[in-house]
């Protein structure tokens, strides 16, 4: 049986062409993309596609686009062995995180890829990325089950867990990285899967689909000199339910009274505030320093080693499911799709 793969084309540099007037890159259609990758035919797969009516630069991505991707995969879940999502790199890590919460209990691969150079350019990385993504989506273990059963990002030499990934370079072909979780596969002469990193939980039941996302979330990025007026103003934003507080180091921040009072008041008002470190590597250890301890005592929840992208998507997902602030707090502290590692120090 030939592997059956569905490509969902959303846009991104991979399919872009130069605008004749401005010379800036703009999204273009899927047939143009495929014409530039004749090698795909050498793969003995059945490949179908669904494309966004208007392919987009991923900077225009919003939750309605996530919902379209989810629908494309969910509606076709039983008919294909794997899915490849072609996407711009700018918001790829956000989409990967969101999809990992919107599509749970996956038994099939959802591989997201794109490129730094358009597929029509001689030195493009798009051709290799697309072909490798298709091969990973088709890969099966000796028992016939898909090798990858989660949302992952394939880019250049690595396959990363989607909700652990971050775009780290606007220039390098290895544009993504997971700073707190090892690669799922290393791509060299062959595709070398790292079996111990792949999620293979089999809790039974079918695909769980959670299309609702609540966008009443925001982020506060700490920096020395951040003013009281700005913090109080942000926490009083109408309708806000969740806040990602980007803190220093192991989850630390100012211990000034006005700051701690503002957090305490917001938590008392039912806002869920999660503590995510600004560091690219490592996580929150809330009780390690007095400054972190004081923040934790206001009721701010530890984000452990979560990425910023996954924290935003996780809050949107949990509020989208209609959970109360108390439930969101509880569920945020537990992994849903392998996005955090909880240790006794990170609680
Ligand atoms: N601006 C582009 C996008 O995210 C960048 C890329 O695809 O690499 O759609």
């Amino acid at each position: 049986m030939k592997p059956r793969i569905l490509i969902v084309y959303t846009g991104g540099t991979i399919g872009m062409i130069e605008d004749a007037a401005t010379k800036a890159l703009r999204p273009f259609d899927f047939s143009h993309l495929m014409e530039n990758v004749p090698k795909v035919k050498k793969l003995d797969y059945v490949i179908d596609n669904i494309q966004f009516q208007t392919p987009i630069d991923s900077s225009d991505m919003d939750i309605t686009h996530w919902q379209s991707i989810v629908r494309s995969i969910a509606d076709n879940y039983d008919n294909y062995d794997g899915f490849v999502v072609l996407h711009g790199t700018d918001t790829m890590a956000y989409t990967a995180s969101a999809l990992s919460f919107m599509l749970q209990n996956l038994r099939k691969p959802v591989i997201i890829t794109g490129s730094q150079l358009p597929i029509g350019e001689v030195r493009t990385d798009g051709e290799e990325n697309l072909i490798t993504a298709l091969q990973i989506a088709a890969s099966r273990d000796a028992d016939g089950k898909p090798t990858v059963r989660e949302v992952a990002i394939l880019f250049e030499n690595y396959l990363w867990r989607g909700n652990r990934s971050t775009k780290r370079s606007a220039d390098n072909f290895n544009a993504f990285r997971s700073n707190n979780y090892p690669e799922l596969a290393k791509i060299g002469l062959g595709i070398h899967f790292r079996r111990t990193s792949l999620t293979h939980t089999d809790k039974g039941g079918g695909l769980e689909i959670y299309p609702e996302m609540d966008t009443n979330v925001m982020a506060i990025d700490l920096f020395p000199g951040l003013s009281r007026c700005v913090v109080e103003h942000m926490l009083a934003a109408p309708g806000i339910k969740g806040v990602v507080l980007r803190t220093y180091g192991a989850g630390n921040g100012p211990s000034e009274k006005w700051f701690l009072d503002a957090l305490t008041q917001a938590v008392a008002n039912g806002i869920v505030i999660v503590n995510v470190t600004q560091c690219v590597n490592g996580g929150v250890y809330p009780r390690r320093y007095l400054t972190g301890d004081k923040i934790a005592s206001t009721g701010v929840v530890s984000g452990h080693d979560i990425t910023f992208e996954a924290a935003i998507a996780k809050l949107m997902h949990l509020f989208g499911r209609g959970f109360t602030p108390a439930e969101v707090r509880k569920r945020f502290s537990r992994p849903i799709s392998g996005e955090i590692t909880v240790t006794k120090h990170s609680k």
Side-chain angles (χ1 to χ4, degrees), residues 11-14 16 27 56-60 87-92 114-117 155 167:
T13 296
I14 191 165
M16 288 190 185
I56 58 166
D57 184 305
S58 77
S59 307
D60 280 321
H87 194 290
T89 57
D90 288 346
T91 59
M92 190 181 282
S115 68
Q116 293 279 46
L117 284 176
F155 227 87
K167 182 173 179 181

Side-chain angles (χ1 to χ4, degrees), residues 17-225:
I17 56 165
E18 215 175 78
D19 187 88
T22 66
K23 302 284 177 228
L25 290 173
R26 65 171 171 85
F28 204 55
D29 72 9
F30 186 69
S31 51
H32 151 82
L33 193 154
M34 291 312 269
E35 276 159 24
N36 279 282
V37 205
K39 270 194 221 158
V40 165
K41 296 201 188 79
K42 289 194 180 170
L43 298 170
D44 198 15
Y45 302 165
V46 175
I47 300 174
D48 293 323
N49 71 82
I50 292 181
Q51 60 171 310
F52 275 12
Q53 211 163 14
T54 312
I56 58 166
D57 184 305
S58 77
S59 307
D60 280 321
M61 193 59 62
D62 68 22
I63 63 157
T64 61
H65 298 112
W66 289 345
Q67 287 162 340
S68 306
I69 302 171
V70 164
R71 221 175 303 120
S72 301
I73 294 172
D75 290 352
N76 293 288
Y77 192 68
D78 294 334
N79 302 328
Y80 293 91
D81 299 304
F83 302 86
V84 170
V85 179
L86 297 180
H87 194 290
T89 57
D90 288 346
T91 59
M92 190 181 282
Y94 292 90
T95 297
S97 299
L99 295 186
S100 79
F101 303 129
M102 296 166 90
L103 295 167
Q104 291 181 35
N105 208 23
L106 271 173
R107 304 281 174 73
K108 297 184 178 182
V110 174
I111 311 299
I112 311 181
T113 195
S115 68
Q116 293 279 46
L117 284 176
I119 202 96
E121 289 204 15
V122 183
R123 290 182 55 252
T124 185
D125 50 332
E127 180 174 37
E128 198 180 301
N129 284 348
L130 173 57
I131 287 173
T132 310
L134 288 166
Q135 288 182 319
I136 291 172
S139 172
R140 298 198 154 252
D141 286 343
D143 61 4
K145 291 187 177 160
T147 309
V148 179
R149 300 171 217 170
E150 57 182 297
V151 179
I153 289 183
L154 175 278
F155 227 87
E156 192 73 0
N157 297 119
Y158 295 96
L159 182 73
W160 305 109
R161 174 163 299 160
N163 57 29
R164 294 278 195 162
S165 307
T166 297
K167 182 173 179 181
R168 63 150 194 153
S169 174
D171 186 49
N172 199 300
F173 282 151
N174 271 308
F176 288 85
R177 203 176 163 77
S178 163
N179 293 300
N180 285 331
Y181 196 78
E183 71 275 3
L184 305 184
K186 203 156 190 266
I187 322 300
L189 290 183
I191 299 170
H192 307 286
F193 290 102
R194 198 169 190 277
R195 308 268 159 189
T196 49
S197 306
L198 290 160
T199 300
H200 277 181
T201 47
D202 205 343
K203 65 171 184 175
L207 178 68
E208 293 169 21
I209 306 153
Y210 301 104
E212 298 309 326
M213 299 292 264
D214 189 329
T215 54
N216 287 305
V217 304
M218 66 169 191
I220 299 180
D221 220 332
L222 294 186
F223 55 88

